Amino acid sequence: RRPPDRSPRLPQSPRREATVTLELDIRRLTYADLPQVIAIERRAFPAPWTPAMFVLELSKQNGICLAALVDGKLVAYLVCSRYDTVWHLMNVAVDPSIRRQGIASALLERLFELGDRPLEQYTLEVRTSNQDAIRLYERFGFRAAGRRRAYYHDNREDALIMWRTAPERATA
């Protein structure tokens, strides 16, 4: 069994066999990480979160905020908040220069290790045009459950609402 803060070695490319791997460390996201987080956020999204939005989420006692590091450098993060009985996956981002190498999957796996209880529920919104993210979430058991019209302010794109229910025999 691997240590709780160490993810498995990830292949460099999901499209072909690779002998080179990334050593990925996943740990709690901290205020000190915010400069790197903001930089990734601005490269990753057309309508990035403000620094204040990250500060607010990090200040919540009932959230799970994770950082993914390669060679000590922050390359991705995840922000998930608890609202009453439901987890809301607020933000997942991987530096665009290192995407499609399993990092977002590793972050989601760690989230579910920490948060899953029997029949625990998770929800998220994702741009309807972000088919890669939708497929990723579907692989983790999320299913489309509705649409928020004109949810994204930058271009009035709809958001797909997705839900996941943890199995009755959850991992944590």
Side-chain angles (χ1 to χ4, degrees):
R1 184 175 158 103
R2 70 179 193 272
D5 63 339
R6 178 76 81 192
S7 290
R9 295 170 70 79
L10 301 171
Q12 274 222 304
S13 172
R15 293 185 181 93
R16 61 180 165 73
E17 288 293 318
T19 55
V20 178
T21 58
L22 296 174
E23 189 68 34
L24 187 68
D25 291 309
I26 296 179
R27 63 161 170 76
R28 180 172 300 280
L29 191 67
T30 68
Y31 293 108
D33 296 321
L34 287 181
Q36 298 97 316
V37 166
I38 299 302
I40 292 169
E41 179 79 3
R42 288 180 178 156
R43 289 193 300 272
F45 297 115
W49 277 18
T50 65
M53 294 167 81
F54 284 103
V55 169
L56 176 64
E57 292 304 319
L58 284 171
S59 71
K60 293 178 181 176
Q61 297 296 314
N62 57 351
I64 298 174
C65 299
L66 302 171
L69 295 91
V70 173
D71 295 327
K73 180 183 178 205
L74 194 143
V75 297
Y77 54 88
L78 175 149
V79 176
C80 190
S81 290
R82 180 83 175 180
Y83 295 99
D84 193 27
T85 61
V86 175
W87 288 104
H88 190 164
L89 186 53
M90 308 284 287
N91 196 330
V92 180
V94 177
D95 190 303
S97 69
I98 197 169
R99 284 186 179 158
R100 306 214 39 92
Q101 298 188 46
I103 297 170
S105 292
L107 283 167
L108 288 167
E109 287 170 7
R110 184 69 177 133
L111 169 66
F112 299 137
E113 286 172 9
L114 294 169
D116 269 4
R117 301 289 179 270
L119 304 177
E120 194 77 59
Q121 291 192 306
Y122 298 82
T123 189
L124 61 84
E125 293 89 10
V126 60
R127 287 178 186 266
T128 55
S129 64
N130 194 344
Q131 291 300 307
D132 288 340
I134 292 168
R135 281 190 295 275
L136 170 71
Y137 297 136
E138 287 174 339
R139 283 198 313 271
F140 281 91
F142 282 91
R143 297 295 172 251
R147 198 177 271 259
R148 293 195 198 283
R149 301 274 178 217
Y151 181 76
Y152 293 97
H153 301 289
D154 62 318
N155 65 357
R156 302 195 42 80
E157 183 176 355
D158 291 353
L160 185 64
I161 303 165
M162 301 185 82
W163 284 86
R164 173 189 184 266
T165 300
E168 286 190 54
R169 294 184 175 268
T171 57

